[in-house]
C-alpha cells in the first residue's frame, strides 16, 4: 500500500496471462504488441506501455480522453508526469513501478493530473513485461525487465459520490451521537434496530442486551398499556406522537421521560418501524410538583389566616396550624412548640405544645433535634438565624437518627419555621413533607412569611388581651438612655415632657403626641432637627408655657420594643433627660425575657418596681353613663340630631348643618360649636387622654 492515505495500492504476485498472451509487448524498439489490439479489450480505459525506465512508449485514445494528453505530447515523458507535485517529491511514481517489478502487479488509486492541471481520481494497474514476453510476473533482475504496461480508468465521479456519502454518514452519526436525548429505532416487529450512546448510558444495559429488548422493556409496568397503545397507533396511523412515561433502568431506578416518535417508511409507503427521541423531564416534573406544593401551601396559609383572625387564644392558633398541615396530602405531619429561654444561656429551648399526624413521643425526640440540630448536622437553630431551615432527602441523611425516622415514617424533607414578630421569637413550627425535594426556595419564602404572620398574630392577641384584663403586672422603669428619642429630646432641650399617646404606623415608625413644658417651641424644633430618629415634627398647640407636638419617630423607641412583647406603655414622663415609665403586661408574660430585652437594648435603664394590680372593668353601660355625664344637654341634642339625622353619612349625606340647626331652632354656627365640643368629649372618654369632666 502507498504511504499516502489518499492513494490506495493493491499488489498481487504470480503470472497473469489473458487473451493477449500470444501477443508480445516489447518495451524496446522493434518488439511490441500493437496498442490498438490491447485497447480493443479495454476501450473504456487508458492503456499505455512504458519502457523499463518508466517513460511512455505508446498512447491510446482512452489515455488521451482520461489525461487530455495527445500521444505527441506525452510519448517519451516519464510516468511521473501524471502525478501531482507532492507525489513526485515523495518519489511515489518510482515506488509504484518498483512494486510492480518486484511483486508482479501494482494496483493503486489516487489523484493524477490532466494536461490542463485538473486533478482526477484514477484507479490503475501497472504490470512488468519480462524479456521473455511474460507479463505480470515478478522480475528479479533488472536486465530481464523489458518494460511495463499501464492500465487506468477514471473514478472521479464515483469517488466524489462515495466521499459525499461518507461525509453525510459521518455527519448523521455525529448528530446521532451528540444528541443529549436518547435516540432509538425499532422495526415493525418492535425489535431494537439502532440507538445512540445515551441509551446504554441512561439505562445501564449493554449494547448486546439492548439488541434483544423490545420497547416496553424500558417502561414502568403501570405505563406499559398506554405506551403499547401509542406504539400500535403510531404504526397504523401516519402521525407524530408524544407520550410521557417512567423509564426503568437496569438497576430499577425510574426516570420520567417524554418520548417523541414517528414512523419509518420505505419509498412505497411501507411501514418499516418507528424512531424517536426520549428526553429526561425530571427537572420539569420537579418544577411542576413544586408549583403544586406552592399552591397547596398558599391554600393552607389562607385557611389558617382566617382561623388566626377569629381565634381567641394562642392554643387555638397552634392547634389550627398543625391540623391544617397534617391534613394536606403533600405533608405527613406537623408540630409546633414555644420558645422558652434556656437556663444559663442566652438561647432558647423548644417546648412542643401541639402536633398532628405524629405522636407526642416522636415530637419530644427526633423532631426536637430538627429545631435544635446536633453539631454534625448541616443546619442551625432557627432561633439563632430567625430564618426557616430545611432538611431534604432525609432518606439519605448522614444523621442516623433522621435517616432512620424518615424511612420509618415515610417523609423525605422537613422545614423548621421560626414564629417571630419583629425580632422576638415565639416558637417554631416543624412540617414534614413526603417529597424528598420539598421546601424549595419559593416554598421556604412563603413559610418564612407565614411564621412572621403567626408571630404578629400571637403578639397582637397578647396586646388585645391586655386591654381587657382586670389584673395585670405593672412595671416601673427609670431610664437616662438617650437611645430613646423622647429621653434624647428632653435631655437635649433641658425640658420636661410627657407622652400623651403613641400611634404605631409600622413596626419601625411611631407617631408620638407629646406635651412639652417650660421651653420655647423654636428650641424644641432646633433639638429635634439634631435628633436623627425624629423624622417629622409638627406643633399642634402652644399656650401658657406648654406646647403640644406630633412627632414621627423611626426605630429608636422603648415603645416599639414593648410592643414586641405584648406590653403596653401606660405613661412616660421625662424630667430633663430622666424618664419614668409605667408599663402594663399580662400575667403570663415572661418578665425576665421582657426586662432583659429592655435593659440590653437600653443599658441606662433599670427596673424600679413590679407589682400586680387590679384594673376596674368598664361595661358598655358604664361608658354610656360616663359620656352622658360629661355632655351638656345642648351638646347631647346636637350630637344626637346629627347622628340620627344622617349628618355623618358620607359620601351620600342626607342632611346638612343648616337643616339640623333649623330643626333645633339654633344658628348654624352654634350647632357646629356644640357638635365639635360633643365629639371631642366623646373621643376623650374613649381614648382617656383628656379631662372628661370639662363641660365646654
Amino acid at each position: 500500500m502507498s504511504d499516502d492515505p489518499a492513494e490506495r495500492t493493491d499488489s498481487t504476485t504470480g503470472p497473469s496471462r489473458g487473451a493477449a498472451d500470444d501477443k508480445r509487448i516489447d518495451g524496446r524498439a522493434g518488439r511490441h504488441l500493437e496498442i490498438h489490439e490491447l485497447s480493443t479489450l479495454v476501450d473504456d480505459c487508458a492503456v499505455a506501455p512504458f519502457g523499463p525506465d518508466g517513460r511512455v512508449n505508446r498512447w491510446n485514445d482512452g489515455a488521451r480522453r482520461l489525461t487530455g494528453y495527445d500521444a505527441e505530447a506525452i510519448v517519451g515523458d516519464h510516468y511521473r508526469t501524471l502525478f501531482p507535485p507532492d507525489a513526485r517529491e515523495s518519489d511515489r511514481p518510482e515506488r509504484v513501478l518498483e512494486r510492480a517489478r518486484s511483486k508482479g502487479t501494482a494496483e493503486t488509486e489516487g489523484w493524477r493530473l490532466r494536461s490542463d492541471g485538473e486533478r482526477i481520481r484514477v484507479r490503475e494497474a501497472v504490470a512488468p513485461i519480462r524479456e521473455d514476453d511474460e507479463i505480470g510476473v515478478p522480475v528479479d533482475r533488472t536486465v530481464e525487465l523489458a518494460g511495463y504496461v499501464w492500465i487506468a480508468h477514471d473514478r472521479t465521479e464515483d469517488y466524489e459520490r462515495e466521499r459525499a456519502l461518507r461525509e453525510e454518514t459521518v455527519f448523521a452519526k455525529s448528530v446521532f451521537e451528540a444528541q443529549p436525548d436518547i435516540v432509538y429505532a425499532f422495526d415493525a416487529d418492535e425489535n431494537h434496530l439502532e440507538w445512540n450512546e445515551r441509551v446504554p448510558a441512561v439505562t445501564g444495559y449493554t449494547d448486546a442486551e439492548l439488541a434483544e429488548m423490545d420497547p416496553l422493556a424500558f417502561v414502568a409496568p403501570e405505563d406499559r398499556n398506554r405506551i403499547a397503545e401509542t406504539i400500535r397507533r403510531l404504526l397504523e396511523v401516519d402521525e407524530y406522537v408524544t407520550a410521557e412515561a417512567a423509564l426503568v433502568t437496569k438497576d430499577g431506578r425510574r426516570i420520567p421521560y417524554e418520548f417523541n416518535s414517528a414512523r419509518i417508511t420505505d419509498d412505497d409507503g411501507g411501514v418499516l418501524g418507528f424512531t424517536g427521541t426520549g428526553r429526561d423531564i425530571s427537572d420539569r416534573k420537579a418544577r411542576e410538583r413544586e408549583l403544586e406544593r406552592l399552591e397547596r401551601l398558599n391554600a393552607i396559609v389562607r385557611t389558617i389566616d382566617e382561623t388566626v383572625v377569629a381565634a381567641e387564644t394562642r392554643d387555638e392558633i397552634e392547634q389550627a396550624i398543625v391540623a391544617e398541615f397534617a391534613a394536606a396530602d403533600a405533608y405527613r405531619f406537623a408540630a409546633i412548640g414555644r420558645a422558652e429561654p434556656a437556663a444559663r444561656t442566652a438561647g432558647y429551648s423548644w417546648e412542643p405544645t401541639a402536633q398532628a399526624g405524629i405522636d407526642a413521643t416522636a415530637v419530644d425526640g427526633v423532631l426536637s433535634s430538627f429545631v435544635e440540630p446536633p453539631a454534625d448536622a448541616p443546619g442551625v437553630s432557627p432561633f439563632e438565624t430567625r430564618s426557616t431551615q430545611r432538611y431534604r432527602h432525609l432518606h439519605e441523611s448522614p444523621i442516623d437518627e433522621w435517616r432512620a425516622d424518615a424511612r420509618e415514617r415515610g417523609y423525605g424533607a422537613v422545614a423548621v419555621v421560626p414564629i417571630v414578630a419583629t425580632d422576638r421569637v415565639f416558637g417554631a413550627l416543624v412540617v414534614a413533607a413526603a417529597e424528598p425535594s420539598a421546601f424549595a426556595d419559593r416554598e421556604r419564602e412563603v413559610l418564612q412569611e407565614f411564621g412572621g404572620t403567626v408571630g404578629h398574630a400571637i403578639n397582637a392577641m397578647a396586646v388585645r388581651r391586655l386591654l381587657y384584663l382586670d389584673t395585670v403586672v405593672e412595671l416601673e422603669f427609670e431610664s437616662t438612655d438617650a437611645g430613646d428619642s423622647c429621653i434624647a429630646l428632653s435631655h437635649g432641650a433641658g425640658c420636661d415632657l410627657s407622652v400623651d399617646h403613641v400611634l404605631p404606623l409600622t413596626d419601625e415608625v411611631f407617631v408620638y403626641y407629646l406635651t412639652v413644658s417650660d421651653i420655647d417651641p423654636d428650641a424644641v424644633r432646633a433639638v429635634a432637627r439634631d435628633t436623627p430618629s425624629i423624622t417629622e415634627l409638627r406643633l399642634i398647640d402652644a399656650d401658657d408655657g406648654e406646647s403640644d407636638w406630633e412627632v414621627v419617630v423611626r426605630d429608636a423607641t422603648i415603645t416599639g420594643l414593648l410592643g414586641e412583647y405584648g406590653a403596653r406603655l401606660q405613661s412616660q414622663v421625662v424630667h430633663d433627660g430622666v424618664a419614668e415609665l409605667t408599663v402594663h403586661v399580662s400575667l403570663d408574660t415572661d418578665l425576665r425575657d421582657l426586662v432583659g430585652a429592655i435593659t440590653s437594648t437600653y443599658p441606662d435603664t433599670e427596673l424600679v418596681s413590679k407589682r400586680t394590680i387590679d384594673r376596674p372593668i368598664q361595661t358598655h353601660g358604664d361608658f354610656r353613663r360616663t359620656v352622658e355625664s360629661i355632655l351638656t344637654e345642648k351638646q347631647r341634642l346636637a350630637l344626637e340630631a346629627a347622628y340620627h339625622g344622617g349628618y355623618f353619612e358620607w359620601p351620600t349625606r342626607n342632611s346638612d348643618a343648616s337643616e339640623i340647626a333649623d330643626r333645633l331652632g339654633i344658628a348654624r354656627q352654634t350647632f357646629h360649636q356644640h357638635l365639635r365640643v360633643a365629639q371631642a368629649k366623646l373621643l376623650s372618654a374613649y381614648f382617656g387622654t383628656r379631662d372628661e369632666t370639662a363641660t365646654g
Side-chain angles (χ1 to χ4, degrees):
M1 293 290 288
S2 167
D3 54 5
D4 180 358
E7 178 136 8
R8 300 198 304 273
T9 302
D10 299 322
S11 299
T12 59
T13 61
S16 176
R17 303 183 65 87
D21 283 357
D22 58 334
K23 306 297 183 184
R24 299 292 182 264
I25 299 179
D26 187 353
R28 296 166 300 171
R31 294 179 60 197
H32 63 273
L33 173 69
E34 290 297 332
I35 194 70
H36 69 85
E37 295 182 24
L38 187 58
S39 298
T40 302
L41 299 176
V42 284
D43 58 358
D44 62 337
C45 294
V47 178
F50 299 160
D53 58 357
R55 293 182 181 277
V56 178
N57 286 342
R58 300 284 189 273
W59 204 244
N60 77 336
D61 286 342
R64 179 181 55 76
R65 288 193 299 271
L66 176 66
T67 67
Y69 286 102
D70 291 331
E72 292 79 6
I74 194 69
V75 170
D77 285 352
H78 197 277
Y79 170 51
R80 62 188 294 113
T81 304
L82 303 174
F83 283 78
D86 58 335
R88 298 176 200 166
E89 292 172 4
S90 63
D91 296 328
R92 191 174 303 145
E94 287 75 13
R95 294 201 304 272
V96 173
L97 294 174
E98 174 59 25
R99 186 177 302 110
R101 184 193 65 77
S102 62
K103 299 295 184 180
T105 304
E107 294 184 14
T108 65
E109 180 177 318
W111 293 108
R112 301 293 182 262
L113 290 182
R114 286 172 53 86
S115 60
D116 58 3
E118 179 186 355
R119 287 161 57 95
I120 56 175
R121 192 77 177 179
V122 168
R123 177 74 176 177
E124 64 181 17
V126 180
I129 304 173
R130 291 167 54 95
E131 285 286 349
D132 58 4
D133 297 335
E134 293 286 344
I135 300 175
V137 177
V139 179
D140 295 331
R141 295 187 304 165
T142 305
V143 294
E144 296 177 352
L145 179 64
Y148 300 91
V149 62
W150 173 71
I151 303 174
H153 68 274
D154 187 357
R155 288 202 70 253
T156 306
E157 290 185 3
D158 291 340
Y159 176 81
E160 291 297 338
R161 282 196 300 271
E162 291 168 3
R163 184 180 61 81
L165 181 59
R166 285 195 303 271
E167 291 177 354
E168 183 179 337
T169 302
V170 169
F171 175 75
K173 185 174 181 60
S174 65
V175 172
F176 190 71
E177 295 301 340
Q179 276 283 340
D181 303 329
I182 65 173
V183 182
Y184 52 84
F186 291 87
D187 64 19
D189 296 323
E190 300 180 17
N191 298 309
H192 216 164
L193 293 177
E194 192 65 68
W195 55 88
N196 67 344
E197 292 179 356
R198 288 294 299 158
V199 175
V202 169
T203 65
Y205 291 103
T206 66
D207 288 338
E209 291 171 323
L210 289 170
E212 303 297 326
M213 299 178 70
D214 63 71
L216 297 181
F218 303 98
V219 179
E222 62 272 18
D223 296 331
R224 285 178 182 167
N225 289 338
R226 178 168 51 83
I227 297 301
E229 176 60 25
T230 300
I231 294 173
R232 184 193 62 77
R233 188 174 73 253
L234 175 64
L235 294 174
E236 292 179 355
V237 182
D238 187 11
E239 64 179 27
Y240 183 85
V241 298
T242 297
E244 291 184 8
L247 183 148
V248 181
T249 65
K250 187 175 182 179
D251 59 7
R253 291 181 298 113
R254 296 187 176 204
I255 308 172
Y257 258 76
E258 179 184 82
F259 299 99
N260 299 283
S261 303
R263 291 198 306 180
I264 304 172
T265 58
D266 57 23
D267 294 339
D268 297 325
V271 179
L272 302 178
F274 65 94
T275 184
T277 62
R279 173 161 296 180
D280 186 342
I281 56 173
S282 298
D283 291 342
R284 190 180 81 192
K285 288 297 184 182
R287 288 193 298 271
E288 291 174 357
R289 290 193 299 272
E290 179 182 340
L291 288 175
E292 291 173 0
R293 290 195 305 269
L294 195 57
E295 291 177 359
R296 289 195 294 265
L297 176 58
N298 283 323
I300 292 171
V301 169
R302 286 193 296 270
T303 301
I304 294 174
D305 284 345
E306 294 171 0
T307 303
V308 166
V309 171
E312 296 184 359
T313 67
R314 182 173 175 178
D315 288 341
E316 287 183 49
I317 293 177
E318 292 173 342
Q319 289 290 347
I321 290 173
V322 297
E324 284 295 330
F325 274 103
D329 293 338
Y331 304 106
R332 284 289 183 260
F333 55 81
I336 197 168
R338 301 181 184 182
E340 301 293 343
R344 298 185 298 278
T345 70
Y348 297 89
S349 62
W350 189 65
E351 297 296 330
T353 53
Q355 69 277 333
I358 189 172
D359 57 87
T361 304
V363 173
D364 289 332
V366 68
L367 288 201
S368 294
S369 68
F370 285 111
V371 182
E372 302 170 68
D376 56 344
V380 296
S381 170
F383 298 147
E384 295 179 17
T385 62
R386 307 295 197 271
S387 62
T388 297
Q389 302 293 303
R390 65 181 177 188
Y391 304 96
R392 309 166 84 184
H393 303 284
L394 290 172
H395 289 178
E396 309 301 327
S397 172
I399 309 301
D400 294 341
E401 182 183 17
W402 293 358
R403 183 176 64 253
D405 196 70
R407 292 178 177 179
E408 179 183 350
R409 300 181 192 280
Y411 61 93
V414 162
V416 185
V417 185
I419 307 299
V420 296
T422 312
D423 196 47
R424 185 189 174 193
V425 177
F426 287 95
L429 167 68
V430 180
V431 181
E435 177 65 44
S437 59
F439 308 120
D441 292 344
R442 189 68 190 98
E443 290 176 86
R444 185 164 58 172
E445 290 173 7
V446 172
L447 287 171
Q448 179 76 21
E449 185 177 334
F450 173 69
T453 300
V454 175
H456 280 88
I458 292 173
N459 189 60
M461 180 177 292
V463 173
R464 289 198 305 271
R465 289 181 61 244
L466 183 61
L467 293 175
Y468 299 106
L469 288 174
D470 55 353
T471 301
V472 297
V473 177
E474 184 175 84
L475 305 175
E476 291 187 1
F477 294 90
E478 184 175 288
S479 178
T480 59
D481 199 306
D484 178 78
S485 302
C486 294
I487 298 175
L489 183 61
S490 172
H491 178 74
C495 67
D496 294 346
L497 65 81
S498 62
V499 178
D500 299 326
H501 186 69
V502 180
L503 180 65
L505 295 184
T506 69
D507 290 339
E508 299 177 347
V509 180
F510 300 84
V511 179
Y512 274 67
Y513 295 93
L514 308 177
T515 297
V516 181
S517 304
D518 303 325
I519 187 173
D520 185 78
D522 290 337
V524 175
R525 289 192 181 93
V527 175
R529 280 195 296 268
D530 294 333
T531 305
S533 58
I534 296 178
T535 59
E536 295 180 42
L537 183 72
R538 183 175 71 89
L539 178 63
I540 298 174
D541 192 18
D543 185 31
D544 297 332
E546 286 189 347
S547 53
D548 296 328
W549 298 86
E550 181 184 75
V551 183
V552 178
V553 178
R554 180 176 293 275
D555 292 335
T557 65
I558 293 178
T559 304
L561 182 58
L562 293 173
E564 295 177 18
Y565 288 82
R568 188 177 180 85
L569 178 68
Q570 290 300 110
S571 67
Q572 181 176 355
V573 179
V574 190
H575 302 282
D576 194 16
V578 180
E580 296 175 356
L581 300 95
T582 301
V583 176
H584 284 182
V585 298
S586 63
L587 296 176
D588 57 359
T589 299
D590 189 320
L591 297 181
R592 188 184 71 166
D593 196 15
L594 170 61
V595 173
I598 293 174
T599 55
S600 62
T601 307
Y602 301 95
D604 295 330
T605 304
E606 63 176 342
L607 178 64
V608 176
S609 67
K610 179 189 74 172
R611 61 180 178 273
T612 301
I613 63 171
D614 293 327
R615 297 190 302 187
I617 300 177
Q618 189 177 46
T619 65
H620 176 74
D622 293 336
F623 179 75
R624 185 182 182 88
R625 284 189 290 274
T626 297
V627 173
E628 289 178 344
S629 69
I630 60 177
L631 293 176
T632 66
E633 181 65 20
K634 292 180 179 179
Q635 292 164 357
R636 186 188 64 77
L637 285 174
L639 186 63
E640 190 173 355
Y643 176 76
H644 290 288
Y647 179 77
F648 297 111
E649 297 295 329
W650 185 261
T652 56
R653 183 179 290 176
N654 295 324
S655 57
D656 58 22
S658 297
E659 292 174 330
I660 298 176
D662 290 343
R663 192 175 299 117
L664 294 177
I666 58 177
R668 185 173 183 273
Q669 183 177 2
T670 302
F671 166 73
H672 271 301
Q673 180 181 2
H674 290 330
L675 184 61
R676 285 184 59 83
V677 173
Q679 287 175 313
K681 289 182 177 181
L682 178 62
L683 295 174
S684 295
Y686 180 78
F687 291 113
T689 58
R690 297 293 180 191
D691 183 4
E692 293 90 345
T693 62
T695 57

